[in-house]
Structure formats: structure tokens, C-alpha cells
Amino acid sequence: MSTTATMGEMANSAVEFYPKRAGSRAEANHSGDFGVSLDELRSLMELRGAEALQKIQENYGDTEGLCQRLKSSTTDGLSDNPADLERRAQAFGQNFIPPKKPKTFLQLVWEALQDVTLIILEIAAIISLGLSFYQPPGEESEACGNVSGGGEDEGEAEAGWIEGAAILLSVICVVLVTAFNDWSKEKQFRGLQSRIEQEQRFAVVRNGNVIQIPVADMVVGDVAQVKYGDLLPTDGILIQGNDLKIDESSLTGESDHVRKSADKDPMLLSGTHVMEGSGRMLVTAVGVNSQSGIIFTLLGAGEGEEEKKEKKAKKQDGAVAMEMQPLKSAEGGEVEEREKKKANVPKKEKSVLQGKLTKLAVQIGKAGLVMSAITVIILVLYFVIETFVVQRRTWLTECTPIYVQYFVKFFIIGVTVLVVAVPEGLPLAVTISLAYSVKKMMKDNNLVRHLDACETMGNATAICSDKTGTLTTNRMTVVQVHLNDQHFREIPEPSQVNPNTLEMVVNAIAINSAYTSKIMPPDVEGGLPKQVGNKTECGLLGFVLDLKRDYAPVREQIPEEKLYKVYTFNSVRKSMSTVVQLPDGSFRLYSKGASEILLKKCSSILGAGGETRSFRPRDRDEMVKKVIEPMACEGLRTICIAYRDLPGDPEPEWENEADIVTDLTCICVVGIEDPVRPEVPEAIRKCQRAGITVRMVTGDNINTARAIAAKCGIIQPGDDFLCLEGKDFNRRIRNEKGEIEQERIDKIWPKLRVLARSSPTDKHTLVKGIIDSTVLEQRQVVAVTGDGTNDGPALKKADVGFAMGIAGTDVAKEASDIILTDDNFSSIVKAVMWGRNVYDSISKFLQFQLTVNVVAVIVAFTGACITQDSPLKAVQMLWVNLIMDTFASLALATEPPTEALLLRKPYGRNNPLISLTMMKNILGHGVYQLVIIFTLLFVGEKIFNIDSGRNAPLHSPPSEHYTIIFNTFVLMQLFNEINARKIHGERNVFDGIFSNPIFCSIVLGTFGVQIVIVQFGGKPFSCAPLNMEQWLWCLFVGVGELLWGQVIATVPTSHLKCLKEAGTGPGTDEMTEDELAEDEEEIDHAERELRRGQILWFRGLNRIQTQMEVVSTFKRSGSFQGAVRRRSSVLSQLHDVTNISTPTHVVLSTANASAAPGNAGGESVP
């Protein structure tokens, strides 16, 4: 392997990067304790294949010898002695990678300060402060005209600095709030991350017992059991293996599975996936010394050269993206670089909601920019014309500071308009809403790995679910059996069965199943026995126990090392076979598997007296009709158990599987029941009511699948639906050349409800077909559940992948977006509810936010143009901005979900964020507020009989007039916030208001602060205290919002033809690639400009994306990401269609290249 040499160089360079913690002095002592030092092991792990074996033989004799030097035993593993484990951790390191330090609060503050609008405000405020301290010489001030005149006495002039200071203060407030939000969000992520990591456990042998320990507790010298679906947490050397195949593409980029065996290539590397087989390995390197650890440390150390490499990495598009769970970093190596410079964040396909929001925010931001620019221009022109043209003054040098002061004031007003126009609360609302949902979803057994999956779930229109374990309880029990030509409808007594046959059944089951599968005594007295390992095998072992026999003695007699050859179960074979050598030197093969597949390979059967008789094709057809179909129709899985005797001399050609596993003798056929989970039918009914189609995709027999589907309510009698087998499905969707055609899939999927005997490729094809389909006007949003390694591609392809927390393999969890911690289908319904709730929360917030925006901008703009001064002062605007952005997003984003959410159909991907009803509400309330405010602005002084606040000179004291306008404005927003709780035009806006304490406390709190500001705010807030009567009027107008809301609700939306929806999702479907690229550019540019990209999208949702070319290490090296990167994963190389000769291969490998319509240019590997 050509990587070997470079691996060596790389590891050496890693040694320089990462000084050993123990120091070399300690190293010398340690190698005294153990017969081998850390460096020796490290250099050993860089070798592959024959070289490695040679080195082991030269230095240690064999693996056994190495094991002894590490003071461990290949059979019993380590002793559980804490002191010994501690010593090993000292000598060889611990199995976790030290996490990156989290950003400090000050760094976050500094980041929040980078916001463009805030910077402009700061600069303006500082200029304003500086000028306010400049006093022009007194005599000349007359010459500058009465510009500075007015009711200004000495005290007032001193107060000129207040406005600048107040702006700075409020900027500081905004920054602190933002930073605090980011900080708590990061903390939450780390909590989530460590939770995901604690759940990763691994089987090791200690004191001869197999126990599950957290990955972080593994030490060098441990003996670990590896099996199908594991993600290896450490480096090791294989002691004994059965048919072990490893996917090393995450390290080498080679997508072909590598065969591992103790005598040819025993080197197992961390971060690689076990695709087939099982075995035991001796752990030789952990944490930062393991292969993936070395790479992680390189990543951490190579930060400086990052920028250069980034550019290179960008070019190598075909490069393999590296994907690895950090072995166990205390906080997750995850948070690595939460936010590599924005420009370097690779394009990630935005979730639907983000796409819509970014677009909306960009549009609003642009509008705001234009409005504020016009405001400034108008104010400046008006002032210049008024002063120099109408009053014909000349510009005197000593007057310059005064004029500049005016210009700064105008500039500040302009910026304030911009601040109010830009809805920087949007991303905050999204983050809060998602983070809140994710936290609550934990309680509902949904562990969310990618935040946006939560929101996508709300749009789901189809769920493709596994049968076993998701819809059913995954507690297998054998309930019927056909043996000795008799069909027993319940488990027979041992006396009813021929003794030879019984012996054969017991041996076939005990030996030909993974030795990790066993039945343990129940946890609680009188409970059901615990099934450990593969559930189907446990069902069969239970059958042995029901026959009053025990499987343990058989296994003790033939331990795992004595098994001659194992053909492990995989999705292609659909069977498992084990060969043992009999005392006379001949061989016996035991086989078990799906009955219709295995019966085809049987040529004889054990008859009534235990004798062998021939089994012809027509006997087989009769068997299928009389035994297998009836069992399947009752929803049982049928499994055939068979054997074959092979001669010892000449020894059979073991590699030629087709000739070995054939000509079998059928021992028996068992029917295994896996009862439907009691809560599933109700959950499926809820899904159907919510407009979500549930489809079952299973590897089981079609009759079994149909029976279970009927029990669950997936198919109802009298419906028009299809149940297909994988073979049929493939025949119908392929053309003559055997290529898959989308229009053929389109004919099938709308009616398809059950796909049985399906291979992982079929699952992937179906998911891709539904997603790419254009039959319906809405693009389908598909959720998929999976537990096996082979479900990886389908989980990746789906919009939302659910992995099983209990039964799922590491590979499946890695490819998923949400982990169901209780493996239960009804948890998926909860996820849908939360997803829809997120969507609704955002819409509520938008409805509220946009009303405020529209009103505030128009008031500031027209006010400035007509009265040369904004009725709402800069500081007031910032306060309004704070309540309507930060607080409102908190209040409206934390509404708990209700069952009612499941009564409507999904919104669909292209549905606008702002529906017609919402548009009606926004404009309706906007009109009400504008009318009130302009009335107060122009005739307020007459109504309340107070001095007019209009045309007040610079630095004049705050007027009651403008205070009333400000106060009314805020109170109207507060009451409108209650209106915003409903977005579908419901009448009762108070419905369920007390179930959200956060909302209530925020509304009351804001009201309290408002009173303080108005009564005691004084000069900084430009407020004059109001009397009781004025307060009551303000309140009355505010409450009017609620009444007006009822009026608006009465107007039917359908009559308002003039309304247009806004915030439609980027209609990616119709866009060409180039347009798409431009559009993305524009969005990204806007994000750089308008703050919230910073707050949220990049830091929050893409957990890390540290990219880097790792020295010249790996085959096609290239970019390489620590941990979870949605959509560009090794799983694209997951060809577990190992030995299929049809074009399925092509499908899998190209699946990731073709751009799905909803995808920004396919799943690009950055």
C-alpha cells in the first residue's frame, strides 16, 4: 500500500507537533514496566499487511507474544484492576482527543462587535460625543444663525454628550445580549455532544467476561470484540477474525472493502468501519497516538498554514472528505472551529427554512439600506438648502463644528432607520427556537445531531420506515416450527421430536450464530429474559431453551477459535453459515437464513423418523404453499435451518462460496414472531392525518410484511395500494438496458406502501426516486429510519435520517440526523410535531417583527422628511429594536407544540414563509399603528394640550409630546405581540398563553422596564415623565391592538386579491446551476453584511468544519473534516453492494454526484 511510507513521515511530523505529555524520561521507565514502548507501537501501527506481520514476527514472535509483553491475555483480556488501567493510561495515553478550548465570553463579545450596523453606530456616536464637547467661541455663534439657538441654556449645552453616550451604552447592551446568547448556545452544543459521545460504548474482554465500556475507558492491551457495523475507536491488531472486511475509505480513500485476517493483514485502524464479519483485536494505540488521533492533532497544530491549504483543498473537489467521530473528546473535538473565517465555510446545502429566511432578510436589509440612505440625503439637502440658500448664509470656518454636529445627527437618524429595518432577531429566533426544541426533544427520545433536521421534519411528507425494531418491538420469539414433516403451531415438547433431529437443531443454532448473541436472566424478578446481541439469533436461542436444552455447553465444547470458516450474514447473502471440523476430520456446514432463499439450496430434508429424504423443486413449492406462506400471512418471519456434510479430504475450496453453500439438508423451518409495538398504530394514524405517507421498507418476506403493515394501519382494506418485492420493484423501474428511469419510479411510488425483500440499494433507490420526483407540485420531503450499516446511503440521501439508538450500528448513527433513543416509531411523530412548531414559531416572530419594522421605518422616514427630526430617537429605536428582536424572539420562539399541529397538511418546501393571512395581519396592524402615530405626531399637542415637540432645536430638552408617541408605539407592539401568537387567523389569541411562562414574563418584564424608561429615563432616552391620564390614553390605544386584531380576523383573506405572499423558498427546482451559484453568492455576501449569518447559520448549525489537506498522507488526500459534516460523507463510498453484478453499483456511486433538485448542486464535497 503506497500510503505506508507517507504514513510514517506523517506520524513523525506529528511527534514534533505534539510533545508527549509524559516526557521522554518517563517513557524510558514505562517501557520497563511493559515489554514494549509507545514509540515502538506507534511505528508498528504505520505498517500494513505483510510488512506489519514481518515486524511482529521479528520483534515479538507473534501477536500472542506482543500480547504477553503488554501483560494481557488473548483469551481473558486485562484484569479489571484500576491501578493497572491507570498505569496503562499513563504509559500509552488515554482514548480521547483533548478538545479545542471553547471561545471565551470576551471572544464572543468581540465577534458580536464585528456587526456592520453596530460599527457604524459606534463611529457616529463617538463623533457626536467629540463634537458635543466642542464649544465654538461665543461671539461668532450669532453669525452661524439661530441654528444652534433655541431654548438652550447652559445646562442643556452640557447635556449634549448624553445622546452619544446613550447610543454607545445601548450598543454595549445589544452586544452583551448577543454574546450571552451565543455563549449559552455553545454550552448547549457541548452538552449535546458529550451526551452523544457518552453513548458510544464498545465491547471488551476483561477477566474473561465481555463487558461494554465507554470508548474513553479503553486502554492499550485491552482485547476488544469487533463486529459488523462498528466504528473502530482505537488502533489494534487482529487476534482472531471471521470473514472480517473493513471500509478504510475514511483513511485511504479506497472505497473497496479490505479483507482482514490474523495471518495476512491484521492491522485495524481507528476511524474505519467494519462492513462484514466479526473478530477480536488487541488494542495497540489509543487517543492521540491512534491513526485518527494523529490526524486530529495535525489538524489542531496545522492551524497556521490553514489559509494556504484551504485554497488547495477547495480545488480538489473529488477529494475524499474525511469523517470520523472524535474518539472521545471530553467535549467533542466537535466544537473545533465553530467558525473558521466565514469565507472559508464550505457551502452547505441550507435547510429549507434558512434558505427562505436568508432571502427574506436580504430583501428587508436592502430595503432598509435604501430607506436610510434616502432619509440622510433628504435631511442633509433640506438643511443645506434651508441654511445656505433660503437664509443666504455663508459657511464660516468657526461654524463648521456646529454644522458637522447637525450632519452627524442626521447620520445617526439614518443609521437608526437601518438598525430598525434590519431584522437581526431572525437568526436569533431560529436559533432559540431550534435550540429550545432540541432540548425538549431529548425528553421525547429524539437526540438531534443536526439542528436543521428538526425543522425539516416539520415539512416531511413521507416516512420510509424499517419494520423490525421500529414498528415492532424487536423481541423475537419462535412461535411455530415445521420439523420432521410435522407443522407445530406451538413449540413442541422435546418428547415429540426425534432425538437426532433435536440434537441437530440445538447444534445448528448454538454454533451457527454470533457468540455475542446470548440470553441473559431478566433484570427484575418475573420479567422477560434479556436478549443480548442479534435479536433474530436470540429468538432462535430462546427456541433451544424452550426445547428444554441449553446452547452454552455446545459453545464451550466448540469455542469461537475452533470455528473453521464463517460466512457472516450480510444483506446480499441473506444467510449465515459456519463450518466446523468433526472429530473424524470431515467438515460440517450449518446454515440459516431467509427460508425461500435457503430452501432453493436444499436438496434433501429430514423426514418424520429423522431420516434424510430427497427434497425436489415440487416438494419445495408445496412447502412454500403449505408452510411458509401461512406463517408469513400471520406476520411471522420464516427462517430455514439446514446443514451439509463435506469431506475432509480433499479439503473443499472454501473461497468458492456458491459451491459450498448448496446441496443442503433442511433441518427445520421456524416462524418467528415480532409483535407490533402497541403505540405504533395510533402514531401511524396521526401521521396519515397530518398528511404524511408512511411506507414500510423491509428485508422480510412479502406476506409477513403485508400482515404487519395491515396490523399497523399502513395499509387499510379497500385502499388502492401496492406491495412489492425488491425483485419486482427493480424490474418495474428499469428499462431494457437495466438503467433506472425516473418516470418509471414515478408510476410506482405514489401508491407503493410496502417494499419487501428489499436490499439497501432498493431503499436508497426508492428514497432518491421519491425525492427527485416531480409528479406532485410539491417536492417530497422524505424521512427514513435505519439501523444497519447498509442503511447508510439511504439515511444520508434522505432529508432526515433517523437512526436507532439501541439497535443501530455506529455507521448508521454517523449517517443520521436524529437518533431515536428508544427505537420507537411514535417518537418520529413527536419529531414532526416539534418540527412544525419550529416553523410556526418563526412565522409568529416574523409576523410580529415585520409589523414593527414597517411602522418604525415609515415613522422615522416620514417624520425625518417632514419635521427634520425622527419622532423616535436613536436610543429609543435601539430599545424598540431590543424588545422586538431579542425579547420577542425569546417569547415567541418558545411556544410549546400542541396536538393541533398534527391536524394540518405539511407546508411544503416552496410554501412562502409569510402566508396571505400573515400578510393581512402585518398590513392591517401596520395601518392601525401608523394612523395612531401620525395623528399623535401632527395633532397630538392639541389633543393633550401640551407643547409641540416638532422642529425642536438641537439639544433641546425632551418633550412630553414625543414621549407619548414613543410610549404609545411600544405599548402597541406589546399588545401586538399577543396577537402574533396565532398565525392562522384564529380568534382566541390568549389560547394556551399560560402554558408558556417565558412569554408571560417577557411581556410583563418589558412593560415594567418601559414604565421606568418613560418616568425616569430623562435625557438619555429623550423622555419626559407622563402623568396618569396620558399613561391611560397610551394603554387604551395599545389595548386597541387586540380589538383591531379581531376586526382583521373577520375580513376573509380571499377577498384581498391585492396581497402577495413573501419569503418563498429559493425555488431551486427551476434554477440552473449558474443562477444558483450567483444566488448563493448574493446570499452569502448579504450574510457577511447583515449580522446574523454570524450569529447563527455558520456557528450554530455546521458543527465544525475544519478543513485541511493532511500533509501528503492519504491516497487522494484533500479536504478532511473532523466529525460530523452533513451530506459529504464517507458513506458516499459505502458500496456494500459487494458482489452484485447488476448496475446497482453505478447507482450508488453516482448518487452523490447528481444534484438533487432541492440540493444546492448536489451533496458537494467541499
Side-chain angles (χ1 to χ4, degrees):
M1 225 166 165
S2 58
T3 24
T4 325
T6 47
M7 269 294 193
E9 293 152 31
M10 180 187 113
N12 299 343
S13 59
V15 178
E16 287 129 43
F17 275 150
Y18 203 90
K20 297 272 174 358
R21 277 174 300 183
S24 48
R25 181 181 39 72
E27 220 73 293
N29 315 349
H30 283 315
S31 54
D33 288 358
F34 299 101
V36 53
S37 71
L38 179 61
D39 288 342
E40 280 175 42
L41 286 177
R42 210 161 147 152
S43 56
L44 171 63
M45 288 321 290
E46 273 137 34
L47 304 175
R48 299 281 173 275
E51 299 172 55
L53 275 170
Q54 194 182 340
K55 174 117 186 236
I56 293 174
Q57 275 154 9
E58 283 168 17
N59 296 1
Y60 316 109
D62 59 1
T63 316
E64 187 71 52
L66 175 61
C67 203
Q68 277 156 6
R69 288 213 195 176
L70 284 169
K71 307 201 174 148
S72 175
S73 140
T74 47
T75 47
D76 295 349
L78 295 177
S79 63
D80 238 342
N81 170 6
D84 175 46
L85 298 179
E86 181 52 38
R87 231 178 51 241
R88 286 171 193 278
Q90 286 295 315
F92 302 111
Q94 293 169 309
N95 196 23
F96 79 88
I97 290 169
K100 273 259 181 12
K101 285 209 286 294
K103 287 206 170 126
T104 58
F105 188 68
L106 288 174
Q107 279 170 307
L108 291 171
V109 168
W110 176 244
E111 254 166 41
L113 280 169
Q114 310 296 308
D115 182 14
V116 188
T117 37
L118 286 181
I119 292 174
I120 299 174
L121 266 183
E122 286 154 28
I123 294 170
I126 289 168
I127 296 175
S128 157
L129 262 179
L131 288 174
S132 69
F133 291 121
Y134 172 85
Q135 275 294 303
E139 327 60 276
E140 276 95 352
S141 69
E142 278 315 300
C144 306
N146 58 355
V147 204
S148 59
E152 188 173 330
D153 53 39
E154 280 312 293
E156 291 303 339
E158 256 85 272
W161 61 273
I162 291 186
E163 183 165 35
I167 292 179
L168 281 180
L169 199 75
S170 36
V171 165
I172 292 171
C173 260
V174 172
V175 167
L176 287 177
V177 170
T178 313
F180 178 73
N181 268 315
D182 290 352
W183 179 76
S184 55
K185 185 165 74 227
E186 192 145 316
K187 209 167 102 217
Q188 232 169 3
F189 266 121
R190 296 199 158 220
L192 189 68
Q193 195 43 45
S194 54
R195 158 95 193 250
I196 289 177
E197 273 152 8
Q198 281 152 10
E199 294 204 336
Q200 201 188 352
R201 306 174 84 80
F202 210 78
V204 298
V205 182
R206 297 249 172 113
N207 291 333
N209 298 323
V210 179
I211 55 169
Q212 295 273 340
I213 61 168
V215 170
D217 297 348
M218 293 175 72
V219 291
V220 171
D222 254 326
V223 173
Q225 288 205 329
V226 296
K227 60 179 189 316
Y228 158 79
D230 283 342
L231 181 120
L232 298 181
T234 64
D235 291 357
I237 296 178
L238 189 65
I239 300 171
Q240 172 264 328
N242 304 319
D243 206 8
L244 194 61
K245 285 191 191 151
I246 307 274
D247 171 10
E248 292 190 347
S249 57
S250 54
L251 285 180
T252 61
E254 290 295 328
S255 59
D256 298 337
H257 299 166
V258 186
R259 247 215 155 83
K260 297 286 180 184
S261 61
D263 48 359
K264 291 204 184 64
D265 180 4
M267 311 310 269
L268 301 179
L269 307 176
S270 56
T272 58
H273 292 128
V274 183
M275 299 313 292
E276 232 179 88
S278 61
R280 290 217 311 278
M281 75 167 181
L282 172 68
V283 175
T284 53
V286 295
V288 288
N289 301 310
S290 67
Q291 292 304 312
S292 48
I294 290 173
I295 294 164
F296 267 106
T297 30
L298 273 179
L299 271 184
E303 222 81 289
E305 309 129 53
E306 201 86 320
E307 289 350 327
K308 287 173 275 178
K309 303 213 165 114
E310 207 80 47
K311 292 189 186 84
K312 261 193 258 170
K314 282 258 164 62
K315 286 181 199 129
Q316 305 189 332
D317 228 19
V320 180
M322 168 76 172
E323 164 135 332
M324 243 188 317
Q325 265 275 336
L327 302 173
K328 159 72 169 96
S329 39
E331 307 275 20
E334 262 20 357
V335 203
E336 302 251 284
E337 277 296 280
R338 263 285 196 241
E339 209 172 10
K340 268 249 102 20
K341 291 287 154 286
K342 281 196 208 49
N344 296 336
V345 173
K347 290 271 193 320
K348 163 182 178 303
E349 184 203 345
K350 288 206 174 65
S351 78
V352 192
L353 188 59
Q354 284 163 34
K356 292 178 182 178
L357 282 178
T358 314
K359 227 173 149 180
L360 196 69
V362 171
Q363 290 162 349
I364 296 174
K366 282 182 181 164
L369 208 61
V370 172
M371 292 289 275
S372 61
I374 296 176
T375 313
V376 175
I377 293 167
I378 290 181
L379 286 170
V380 170
L381 283 177
Y382 189 97
F383 175 75
V384 170
I385 293 169
E386 178 69 24
T387 313
F388 300 118
V389 179
V390 180
Q391 300 182 5
R392 301 222 168 94
R393 295 181 182 283
T394 45
W395 184 297
L396 304 168
T397 39
E398 57 270 29
C399 296
T400 308
I402 294 186
Y403 294 146
V404 172
Q405 229 168 337
Y406 263 99
F407 290 141
V408 169
K409 178 183 157 189
F410 297 151
F411 184 60
I412 289 181
I413 291 175
V415 174
T416 321
V417 172
L418 179 65
V419 170
V420 176
V422 171
E424 62 272 35
L426 265 187
L428 195 65
V430 179
T431 315
I432 292 176
S433 183
L434 286 174
Y436 173 76
S437 305
V438 166
K439 215 168 166 173
K440 293 282 193 220
M441 281 169 81
M442 291 281 254
K443 294 200 179 75
D444 286 336
N445 302 312
N446 283 297
L447 180 64
V448 182
R449 290 181 67 231
H450 298 123
L451 264 188
D452 49 353
C454 168
E455 161 256 314
T456 314
M457 222 23 234
N459 283 328
T461 54
I463 298 176
C464 295
S465 171
D466 272 0
K467 176 177 78 71
T468 312
T470 317
L471 300 173
T472 59
T473 54
N474 202 7
R475 216 198 136 74
M476 309 281 186
T477 37
V478 174
V479 289
Q480 296 190 20
V481 56
H482 180 276
L483 87 169
N484 296 124
D485 284 344
Q486 267 180 289
H487 187 112
F488 296 98
R489 295 194 66 81
E490 48 225 29
I491 306 296
E493 287 299 311
S495 55
Q496 296 170 274
V497 183
N498 175 297
N500 295 347
T501 315
L502 185 60
E503 203 46 51
M504 198 62 111
V505 171
V506 174
N507 283 341
I509 292 175
I511 294 169
N512 185 29
S513 55
Y515 280 29
T516 46
S517 304
K518 29 184 179 304
I519 295 197
M520 310 290 264
D523 289 341
V524 284
E525 202 57 36
L528 292 167
K530 254 205 340 236
Q531 299 188 339
V532 182
N534 178 317
K535 295 297 194 272
T536 311
E537 293 184 341
C538 289
L540 291 169
L541 294 171
F543 172 53
V544 172
L545 299 175
D546 289 339
L547 289 170
K548 316 279 188 289
R549 300 296 294 270
D550 191 4
Y551 60 88
V554 184
R555 287 183 173 182
E556 274 158 28
Q557 199 181 333
I558 306 181
E560 210 164 355
E561 299 78 66
K562 285 209 189 141
L563 300 180
Y564 203 83
K565 173 90 181 117
V566 180
Y567 301 97
T568 47
F569 179 89
N570 67 26
S571 53
V572 179
R573 288 192 184 116
K574 294 234 189 272
S575 67
M576 167 178 179
S577 313
T578 305
V579 180
V580 288
Q581 192 161 15
L582 300 176
D584 62 0
S586 68
F587 297 100
R588 175 168 289 175
L589 167 110
Y590 290 114
S591 198
K592 68 166 190 286
S595 51
E596 52 262 58
I597 291 173
L598 216 51
L599 282 177
K600 286 198 178 104
K601 299 180 178 169
C602 287
S603 57
S604 43
I605 186 167
L606 295 182
E611 79 295 340
T612 310
R613 63 179 174 78
S614 74
F615 185 65
R616 296 182 300 282
R618 49 157 216 278
D619 300 326
R620 185 171 72 239
D621 297 340
E622 188 180 0
M623 178 95 147
V624 169
K625 260 204 211 59
K626 297 257 172 73
V627 180
I628 291 170
E629 282 183 0
M631 282 191 192
C633 291
E634 293 174 36
L636 304 183
R637 300 176 71 163
T638 54
I639 287 185
C640 174
I641 298 173
Y643 79 101
R644 178 187 183 187
D645 284 326
L646 297 154
D649 188 40
E651 189 168 324
E653 193 42 65
W654 297 120
E655 289 311 307
N656 188 349
E657 194 187 327
D659 293 350
I660 302 279
V661 188
T662 181
D663 201 15
L664 306 172
T665 306
C666 168
I667 306 173
C668 65
V669 173
V670 296
I672 296 186
E673 180 185 45
D674 184 8
V676 172
R677 286 175 179 263
E679 61 283 337
V680 162
E682 174 57 21
I684 286 183
R685 227 184 5 265
K686 279 185 187 162
C687 281
Q688 289 162 341
R689 203 171 48 220
I692 301 170
T693 313
V694 183
R695 295 182 174 82
M696 179 200 287
V697 182
T698 174
D700 245 348
N701 165 323
I702 182 128
N703 297 325
T704 314
R706 196 184 279 126
I708 299 276
K711 282 184 192 165
C712 293
I714 291 180
I715 54 183
Q716 265 115 17
D719 276 3
D720 177 20
F721 55 79
L722 277 176
C723 296
L724 291 180
E725 282 205 353
K727 280 203 309 284
D728 266 355
F729 175 69
N730 272 310
R731 206 186 58 242
R732 292 196 187 191
I733 61 172
R734 292 173 194 276
N735 58 19
E736 298 68 53
K737 297 190 195 129
E739 293 157 348
I740 294 175
E741 287 189 355
Q742 183 63 42
E743 48 278 20
R744 286 173 182 247
I745 298 183
D746 288 345
K747 289 201 185 92
I748 295 177
W749 75 256
K751 287 189 178 174
L752 183 69
R753 290 292 176 275
V754 176
L755 183 58
R757 280 277 173 254
S758 67
S759 70
T761 332
D762 297 338
K763 193 172 188 173
H764 181 264
T765 310
L766 176 66
V767 172
K768 185 173 182 308
I770 297 181
I771 289 179
D772 294 353
S773 169
T774 48
V775 192
L776 306 179
E777 68 280 21
Q778 293 285 9
R779 142 149 154 51
Q780 295 281 302
V781 178
V782 184
V784 170
T785 67
D787 50 6
T789 305
N790 47 18
D791 292 327
L795 287 171
K796 265 276 173 262
K797 180 69 197 149
D799 295 286
V800 183
F802 285 92
M804 302 295 135
I806 303 167
T809 58
D810 294 347
V811 181
K813 289 180 189 172
E814 196 72 358
S816 68
D817 304 299
I818 297 180
I819 297 174
L820 294 178
T821 46
D822 63 346
D823 288 14
N824 192 337
F825 186 83
S826 56
S827 304
I828 297 180
V829 182
K830 295 261 176 48
V832 172
M833 206 154 84
W834 276 108
R836 293 188 170 188
N837 190 51
V838 167
Y839 211 91
D840 279 8
S841 299
I842 305 299
S843 298
K844 289 170 188 174
F845 175 67
L846 265 176
Q847 178 175 312
F848 173 70
Q849 165 99 35
L850 292 179
T851 315
V852 187
N853 275 11
V854 170
V855 176
V857 171
I858 294 179
V859 168
F861 176 71
T862 44
C865 298
I866 299 171
T867 67
Q868 286 79 60
D869 185 7
S870 164
L872 297 172
K873 299 288 180 286
V875 183
Q876 295 174 352
M877 285 283 211
L878 284 169
W879 162 239
V880 169
N881 206 31
L882 197 68
I883 58 169
M884 74 185 196
D885 275 5
T886 316
F887 295 150
S889 60
L890 253 177
L892 291 168
T894 51
E895 291 271 303
T898 56
E899 286 282 332
L901 289 169
L902 293 175
L903 298 177
R904 63 171 174 77
K905 297 278 176 275
Y907 282 137
R909 289 180 80 97
N910 311 337
N911 222 44
L913 266 179
I914 301 175
S915 62
L916 288 175
T917 317
M918 287 168 62
M919 208 55 165
K920 177 183 75 177
N921 290 341
I922 291 172
L923 295 177
H925 289 293
V927 167
Y928 173 84
Q929 296 183 10
L930 285 172
V931 168
I932 298 280
I933 284 178
F934 283 133
T935 311
L936 286 174
L937 184 58
F938 296 115
V939 290
E941 71 272 28
K942 300 196 183 71
I943 302 174
F944 287 107
N945 198 3
I946 44 177
D947 294 340
S948 165
R950 291 195 301 283
N951 302 332
L954 208 56
H955 304 316
S956 53
S959 65
E960 283 186 7
H961 184 189
Y962 275 18
T963 309
I964 290 179
I965 294 179
F966 166 58
N967 197 22
T968 311
F969 181 70
V970 171
L971 289 178
M972 287 196 293
Q973 303 320 332
L974 271 185
F975 285 101
N976 194 26
E977 195 166 338
I978 300 176
N979 275 332
R981 291 184 66 246
K982 298 289 177 238
I983 48 176
H984 297 298
E986 296 92 333
R987 291 261 174 204
N988 180 6
V989 287
F990 292 101
D991 178 36
I993 193 166
F994 294 114
S995 63
N996 187 357
I998 301 182
F999 184 87
C1000 303
S1001 47
I1002 282 180
V1003 171
L1004 294 173
T1006 316
F1007 186 57
V1009 177
Q1010 178 65 18
I1011 295 178
V1012 172
I1013 288 179
V1014 171
Q1015 297 305 85
F1016 310 107
K1019 186 79 190 178
F1021 279 98
S1022 328
C1023 285
L1026 302 180
N1027 60 31
M1028 198 60 204
E1029 185 192 356
Q1030 291 163 334
W1031 262 104
L1032 284 174
W1033 274 109
C1034 293
L1035 262 176
F1036 169 71
V1037 174
V1039 176
E1041 267 289 330
L1042 292 174
L1043 305 172
W1044 182 246
Q1046 294 301 317
V1047 175
I1048 295 180
T1050 339
V1051 180
T1053 314
S1054 48
H1055 289 0
L1056 304 168
K1057 296 277 183 292
C1058 53
L1059 290 183
K1060 232 170 95 256
E1061 301 152 320
T1064 327
T1068 328
D1069 312 60
E1070 302 85 60
M1071 290 189 179
T1072 61
E1073 291 291 305
D1074 319 337
E1075 279 179 308
L1076 226 154
E1078 283 165 29
D1079 193 54
E1080 288 256 308
E1081 263 318 293
E1082 169 192 313
I1083 289 179
D1084 283 351
H1085 180 65
E1087 274 172 359
R1088 243 162 273 146
E1089 216 169 49
L1090 305 171
R1091 97 160 293 109
R1092 49 243 151 184
Q1094 290 169 341
I1095 304 193
L1096 185 144
W1097 286 323
F1098 289 118
R1099 179 168 342 106
L1101 294 181
N1102 299 5
R1103 292 146 90 211
I1104 10 153
Q1105 300 175 322
T1106 326
Q1107 284 188 317
M1108 152 171 202
E1109 252 187 321
V1110 178
V1111 201
S1112 54
T1113 325
F1114 302 126
K1115 282 282 175 69
R1116 286 180 289 153
S1117 111
S1119 71
F1120 156 150
Q1121 332 254 39
V1124 205
R1125 251 287 275 130
R1126 174 152 173 70
R1127 303 276 198 203
S1128 66
S1129 137
V1130 183
L1131 285 156
S1132 54
Q1133 284 116 6
L1134 216 158
H1135 299 320
D1136 33 15
V1137 218
T1138 25
N1139 33 21
I1140 295 191
S1141 49
T1142 57
T1144 7
H1145 235 111
V1146 192
V1147 180
L1148 256 181
S1149 41
T1150 54
N1152 273 26
S1154 62
N1159 262 15
E1163 359 272 47
S1164 52
V1165 176

